[in-house]
Amino acid sequence: DGNVQVAVKQKQLVKYQEAIEESKELQKRLAVLSGSLEQGEAGLLRGKTPPLAAVDLQNILSAIAQKSGVDIQSIRVLKPVKQEGSPYLRIPVRFSLSLPTRQLKEILYGIATSDRYVMVREILINAPRRKGEDKLIVNLTVDGFMKE
């Protein structure tokens, strides 16, 4: 009877040791995943609130436009959109520009290669009606993302 109890206790001990080892492995995996999440979220807009995140997006777009030598004619912050089933908000900003095709290409490239997660959601381009006029009238809606 005593030997049976010892055998049962030894089995329990082995199970507990396995659980401890599994727990250590899970802790390591959690640390790796947490680091990956943190690294991934580095591309989100800065700002604790949607208006502050929108300001960050405006600053990003202004810097891209300035680098290309373009003046933004107007900027309009649109209503933030909740990403369904996600802790993230999409922050849309619409801005208008008048620029030649080459500069439009530079701006689109600047948005696409930004270190933040920004993307062009909508682009409307009106070509000039007069001969010799090379400037396009462009309305861009650009989205950035923030954590709620």
Side-chain angles (χ1 to χ4, degrees):
D1 188 43
N3 288 339
V4 172
Q5 281 185 339
V6 169
V8 168
K9 296 288 182 189
Q10 285 178 331
K11 274 187 174 181
Q12 280 183 324
L13 183 60
V14 168
K15 279 185 180 178
Y16 292 149
Q17 288 171 336
E18 287 172 355
I20 289 170
E21 288 304 311
E22 189 175 318
S23 171
K24 288 178 185 176
E25 185 60 35
L26 288 173
Q27 289 292 337
K28 287 179 193 174
R29 287 177 55 196
L30 177 62
V32 168
L33 289 173
S34 295
S36 295
L37 178 63
E38 194 173 296
Q39 186 178 14
E41 287 183 344
L44 296 175
L45 295 173
R46 314 258 189 282
K48 301 267 186 231
T49 64
L52 291 175
V55 168
D56 188 34
L57 181 54
Q58 289 176 47
N59 291 339
I60 292 166
L61 298 173
S62 293
I64 290 169
Q66 187 176 25
K67 186 177 176 184
S68 297
V70 174
D71 289 325
I72 295 176
Q73 293 175 333
S74 69
I75 294 181
R76 185 170 164 229
V77 176
L78 305 176
K79 185 179 176 187
V81 179
K82 172 90 170 106
Q83 298 300 104
E84 212 171 293
S86 156
Y88 302 102
L89 287 176
R90 180 168 49 91
I91 308 295
V93 173
R94 180 173 296 144
F95 63 109
S96 301
L97 310 157
S98 175
L99 69 173
T101 305
R102 179 188 59 77
Q103 288 176 313
L104 176 58
K105 179 188 71 127
E106 289 173 4
I107 288 190
L108 292 173
Y109 179 78
I111 292 169
T113 59
S114 173
D115 62 345
R116 305 277 178 73
Y117 301 133
V118 293
M119 61 181 227
V120 175
R121 184 168 40 92
E122 182 180 15
I123 183 168
L124 300 170
I125 301 172
N126 292 313
R129 296 176 189 241
R130 289 180 266 152
K131 283 218 182 256
E133 179 71 34
D134 68 339
K135 286 197 172 187
L136 304 171
I137 306 299
V138 179
N139 290 304
L140 281 172
T141 301
V142 177
D143 292 341
F145 299 88
M146 72 169 287
K147 193 167 187 175
E148 271 190 288

